[in-house]
Amino acid sequence: MADRRTRSMAGSDLSRTTAARATAIAEQLHHECSILLELYRKKENFSADVTVADGRLVSVPPPSSQLDTRDKLWRLHSALLQCRSLLERAIAKEEEDLGGGKKGDYETQRKMVKERLSLLLINTGELLKAVDGTAVLTPNLEGLELDGPTHLFELKLWVYRIFKEVDYWTKTAITTLQSLPSVNARERARTTRVRSTRSAR
Amino acid sequence: MIQWLLLVTLFCKSTQDGNGQENGVFHCGPPNLTLNKSVQTILLAWEDDPSCSAVHDVLIYELVVLIADKQVHYDEVAVTHEQIGSPHSWNWTSHLALECASHTVRLSSRYENRTSPWKQEQTLPGKENLSRPEVYPRDRVLKVGSTVTFCCVLPAGEIFDKMYLPGYNSTIMNTTKINNRTYALTVRLNQPSRDSCTDVKCKASIQHVKTTENGACAFIGYLPGDKDLQCETSDLESVECHWTVERSPHLLSKKTEYQLLGSPCEDGSRGRCLKKVQEDAGERNWTLTVKNKLGKVELSDRADLTKRVHMLAPEGVKASTVNARNVTLEWSWKVQRYTNLNLTCQVNVSHGGTNTMSENIGLGLSFAVLTDLIPNWTYNVTVRCGTTQNFWKWSDWSIGFNFNTKGDVPDALDVWMQVKDNQIIIIWKMPLANQSHGHILDYEVTWAKTKATVANSKHHLALSLDTTEDYIVAVTARNINGSSSPSTITTPPFNPNKTGVNNLQINRKNGSFSLSWSASPAASCGYIVDWCPTSGHCSLEWLKVPPHEHNANIFSKNLKDGLRYSLSLYACTQGAPVLLERGEGYVSEERIKDGLFVPLKWKQQDSDVEVSWNPVSLTEQTAFIQGYILYCTDKDNDNKIVCNVSTDNPEAITLRASHLKIGSYEFTVKARTAVGECGTTSLTATLNSQTDNLIKAVIISLVTVFSLLSLITVVCLKHWACIKEMVYPPIPKPLLTDKWLTSPGEHSCHPLRVDQCQHSEVANMDIPELHCKSGGPVNDYVSPENIPFVFAQTPKGYYNQPLQKCTPPPLILATPTVPSQSGLPSSPIRGLFPNPSYNLMMQAGDQWSNPGPELQEGTCLERNSSGYQPQSRTENFTLNQTEQDPECYILLPQ
């Protein structure tokens, strides 16, 4: 009994710390995404009028207030994973089709965002593990359009769209992660309920 | 029935006959028209109608192209009789992308000015049902300098705003309207794409509210610009071609293909291609083909590879034999065929920033001998080779190889000497690392059968030699390998007289001395120039000059600006060096610091002022002083310079400003040098009237005389009774006996017989003199044992001599060589009075100046008890005197 309480308390502390760290990473990533978007707009002479196709590239279940913490985290984690896949593909296509080799501010920032996104994914994965208690299931990336358009200008727009997608999901990550204290409370409540049930038995 | 058959037959007949013949109507035409496209080209294909077989001449097909229902092109295709019946094709490239607008082709035929009524028409529709503006053509590779038309196709309901290429000037772009939904932009491409493709953008709006933008991308570049193809061989088995790659936009260069003699080159984008070739001694063309999306170029180089051998660098360079001054190098060849070639190899020997190159020739050369090396020295060598016959290029340098030569005895020392304070100092330069050939253990100096060992840290030896003779001094350095050959120098006999030595001509040049002199027949083995600072510590440096040279440039890190150097030129002879010329100079004269003239003094003489200073020391002279200049500034007259006095005498220590008015002046003295007036020192002085000074002097003199007279009067009044008694005694006639001197009473007056006095005429006065003397110590010259001393003068000076007679103590007579202390003229009244202040004897009179006074009976006695006086001889005589009882001597007038 005592062991269980200790473990649950430790798990709670761990998730709280991980959530805080993940939030901080997401905030940093959001800042870096803003810079990346700005650098890309400048590089490609994109005005605010440039037409980017509507709709999300990332495919996840729609948000809902009915989703519990685990589902919210899973949804976020899945979206971020798709973002990373899209970002990696975008970088590869840029290098391949639009001319690479240059190492300027834009390329540096792009690499930084990719690495920060990976770091955020590690933290959201830990959070999922802490909340769910099981191994994190790898979200299904099937159906994700990774090929990109064939025409060069559309490819540029596609890359831009991916950057905006990363930016969007980073903002979502901040919101989701900041709502985690209630999660912790809920987790504590669940732990208490389990404990009470067992005591009653 | 028969009638109907006849009618049909007639109709057919009339139809056949009417093929272009009847009524000017021609019925041959293209029944099967096919329209296709490729990128921006329209491809049209058709076949002749069977009725065309009747045509016996050239059949013309007329083609009309319409873009958006406007005719943009007309063309004709001529078909001969032989061609009729076979398929025909025609293509045409539109200036617009085919997606921009519908392209319609109309085809008709004409024969002998009769046009077929058949007209075939096919249309390629443009893009429709768009959701946003689209720009065409897309992803094209275009040549810089070409003129291209892009179009923007709008969705229904959108309003065109503009088309543009970022970075392009709008003045070279022209936008036209094709139809309501299509606009075209024609632009001359004058700049290549840089890191990525170049965008062509179209901006539109939906009911002037929402703006949309889309675009296309195009790579703009050049034809392959590669050039300067050159082919050679390094192994005589393969050809290696190099060329200069002209950079294109990234994707363009990535997609550039290279082929050498028809086979692809993998390293083509790096400008090199290597192919195995069959041994072929002949000359041939080596052709490189470079192709990209915009076109291709061919580069060609005609060469015989046997005359284009670019050898590989020698390998494994090493030293097979290492000695103190020579080394044998060896290396090997990667290509065995080199051993059959006559080779020229260069060996680059470097050490301490110095490089020397040697060249060796031989068949399959694989060794070289290096000579004239420095013992105990580190070298680095590299080797490169080329073919001697039909030399083409040097190989790359081999990898460097380091080796150390063996040690040897030191080189002979550079020896010189310095004559200083009757001593001869033998000095030598410390051997440099490339002269010592090993660690110097010590030095040996040998002269006149004498040998001295000097530690390796010292580089001089002072010899005390007989300065009247010549000596041959030899100096050797010793290291672990032995002693150097001796360096000798002959010391000259000491000759302080250095007159008759010429002035050495010294010029300054970029921080060094430049000397030149006349040839001297005495200089059989050259010249020696030595130098050191004129003042201060002399650390002698020297330079040896060959006999045929009569000038020298002296560079030394020790030479300092603003420091005067003495330079001497010697002739090197078989014997001792001979001093030829001397001189002084500065490497660079510097301004002398202000405040040079210390102390600066002034003296007024009437209306003149003399300003003086101490002689300027050499250490303060940072430039040659050519003279001095004195400026007088009138402080009362707005600092106006009122005088300017100068002298060209560098030894001068005074300058006089004349005819100055009474007032306040600032006197400024400056030294004149080659770098200007410097060493500025000033003083401020106020000139007074000379009349004022005279009045002051008179008043002071009068006050002094009055005070003196008053003092004499007071003293005389105090002793009036005694004076009266002695001057007018009751004794009728004084009688002097021999015992008078031996029995004087205390506090008594002792009359003397003045007729025996041998005074001068001036001294013999009617007024008697009174000598009062206390009985205390005569003077300070008394030994602690109360043994009085007599100062006696000996031929070699003065010494203190204790007296043998203790009682009574002797009196000391001053020698007459001491002049009168007062310096005042002789007073007619001479007397000896007790000094009220010091209790010493005061005496006035010219008797001090009388030489050689001797004490005799009746001789006047005069004493000076106030200090030491040199004496010519000692005189003893007896006087009864005590501390308590002062004695009075009265010198009576004769």
Side-chain angles (χ1 to χ4, degrees), chain B residues 6-53:
Chain B
L6 285 170
L7 278 172
V8 169
T9 308
L10 284 170
F11 177 77
C12 291
K13 175 73 177 167
S14 67
T15 307
Q16 284 176 359
D17 292 344
N19 277 345
Q21 301 290 327
E22 286 181 9
N23 302 325
V25 178
F26 176 61
H27 296 287
C28 170
N32 299 317
L33 187 64
T34 313
L35 185 60
N36 282 312
K37 64 178 181 180
S38 171
V39 190
Q40 211 163 310
T41 302
I42 294 168
L43 305 171
L44 191 69
W46 70 95
E47 291 176 354
D48 302 313
D49 186 83
S51 61
C52 298
S53 57

Side-chain angles (χ1 to χ4, degrees), chain B residues 641-655:
Chain B
I641 295 176
V642 293
C643 80
N644 178 352
V645 187
S646 64
T647 175
D648 292 336
N649 178 14
E651 307 296 328
I653 54 169
T654 62
L655 278 171

Side-chain angles (χ1 to χ4, degrees), chain B residues 625-665:
Chain B
I625 294 178
Q626 298 164 347
Y628 302 96
I629 189 160
L630 169 67
Y631 295 100
C632 317
T633 309
D634 191 346
K635 303 282 280 185
D636 301 329
N637 192 8
D638 204 16
N639 286 332
K640 185 181 174 188
I641 295 176
V642 293
C643 80
N644 178 352
V645 187
S646 64
T647 175
D648 292 336
N649 178 14
E651 307 296 328
I653 54 169
T654 62
L655 278 171
R656 176 183 288 268
S658 303
H659 310 301
L660 298 175
K661 296 175 183 173
I662 304 302
S664 183
Y665 291 90

Side-chain angles (χ1 to χ4, degrees), chain B residues 384-538:
Chain B
R384 67 176 181 180
C385 299
T387 51
T388 307
Q389 291 170 336
N390 302 314
F391 178 83
W392 169 238
K393 281 179 185 173
W394 287 112
S395 70
D396 290 339
W397 286 104
S398 68
I399 296 170
F401 170 68
N402 292 321
F403 64 87
N404 289 310
T405 50
K406 289 182 179 173
D408 201 353
V409 297
D411 288 350
L413 295 168
D414 185 356
V415 179
W416 185 233
M417 63 175 181
Q418 184 181 13
V419 180
K420 197 173 181 181
D421 302 332
N422 291 349
Q423 268 195 332
I424 288 182
I425 302 170
I426 303 296
I427 49 181
W428 57 91
K429 288 180 182 169
M430 186 178 80
L432 301 174
N434 60 353
Q435 296 168 329
S436 60
H437 309 329
H439 176 66
I440 297 290
L441 300 173
D442 52 35
Y443 301 97
E444 278 185 356
V445 183
T446 313
W447 75 100
K449 297 179 182 174
T450 308
K451 183 183 282 185
T453 302
V454 179
N456 58 6
S457 57
K458 281 182 69 180
H459 303 97
H460 62 270
L461 181 66
L463 305 179
S464 296
L465 303 173
D466 183 352
T467 55
T468 60
E469 289 187 25
D470 289 357
Y471 289 90
I472 296 174
V473 182
V475 187
T476 58
R478 197 169 63 87
N479 69 8
I480 195 167
N481 301 301
S483 294
S484 67
S485 56
S487 299
T488 59
I489 188 166
T490 306
T491 63
F494 181 67
N495 178 19
N497 183 15
K498 291 179 179 174
T499 56
V501 175
N502 292 333
N503 278 334
L504 183 58
Q505 188 179 342
I506 302 170
N507 295 312
R508 292 174 292 203
K509 195 168 76 178
N510 301 330
S512 67
F513 288 116
S514 175
L515 312 176
S516 59
W517 57 86
S518 310
S520 169
S524 59
C525 54
Y527 301 88
I528 302 110
V529 181
D530 71 13
W531 66 92
C532 75
T534 305
S535 59
H537 175 67
C538 173

Side-chain angles (χ1 to χ4, degrees), chain A residues 41 43-54 95-102 107 150-154 156-157, chain B residues 132-134 138-139 164 166-167 195-201 203 210-219 250-251 254:
Chain A
R41 275 194 292 265
K43 174 176 173 273
E44 299 298 346
N45 286 295
F46 280 174
S47 66
D49 301 325
V50 69
T51 309
V52 181
D54 294 332
E95 295 286 326
E96 188 182 334
D97 295 343
L98 293 170
K102 194 186 168 195
E107 286 77 10
T150 51
H151 294 298
L152 295 173
F153 193 81
E154 287 176 354
K156 288 182 177 182
L157 293 176
Chain B
R132 54 181 179 169
E134 288 191 355
R138 292 170 166 181
D139 306 343
Y164 65 100
D195 302 323
S196 179
C197 50
T198 302
D199 291 340
V200 183
K201 293 185 179 177
K203 216 171 194 178
K210 187 183 174 188
T211 307
T212 58
E213 187 179 272
N214 205 351
C217 213
F219 284 106
H250 178 72
L251 282 190
K254 215 162 81 172

Side-chain angles (χ1 to χ4, degrees), chain B residues 79-136:
Chain B
V79 178
T80 60
H81 174 72
E82 291 78 22
Q83 291 172 327
I84 288 176
S86 59
H88 307 299
S89 66
W90 173 85
N91 59 58
W92 175 73
T93 302
S94 173
H95 70 287
L96 268 183
L98 301 179
E99 295 90 344
C100 293
S102 62
H103 284 68
T104 303
V105 182
R106 285 179 186 161
L107 182 66
S108 60
S109 59
R110 193 180 75 232
Y111 181 67
E112 293 179 346
N113 296 326
R114 284 175 295 169
T115 306
S116 164
W118 298 7
K119 277 188 182 170
Q120 292 280 349
E121 184 177 295
Q122 288 275 355
T123 299
L124 290 169
K127 277 281 177 180
E128 291 175 349
N129 301 324
L130 301 174
S131 60
R132 54 181 179 169
E134 288 191 355
V135 178
Y136 296 96

Side-chain angles (χ1 to χ4, degrees), chain B residues 560-625:
Chain B
K560 291 176 183 168
D561 293 341
L563 186 61
R564 187 182 293 189
Y565 288 90
S566 296
L567 298 100
S568 305
L569 174 71
Y570 293 84
C572 172
T573 69
Q574 295 305 314
V578 177
L579 178 63
L580 298 176
E581 296 179 10
R582 288 171 65 86
E584 291 184 345
Y586 292 88
V587 172
S588 172
E589 290 185 80
E590 290 188 338
R591 290 182 62 80
I592 300 173
K593 288 178 183 172
D594 289 348
L596 174 68
F597 305 98
V598 176
L600 190 64
K601 294 182 284 192
W602 70 287
K603 192 165 71 178
Q604 182 181 356
Q605 292 171 346
D606 297 331
S607 62
D608 298 350
V609 168
E610 185 181 82
V611 177
S612 62
W613 59 90
N614 287 347
V616 178
S617 69
L618 272 177
T619 52
E620 289 172 313
Q621 292 186 34
T622 54
F624 282 117
I625 294 178

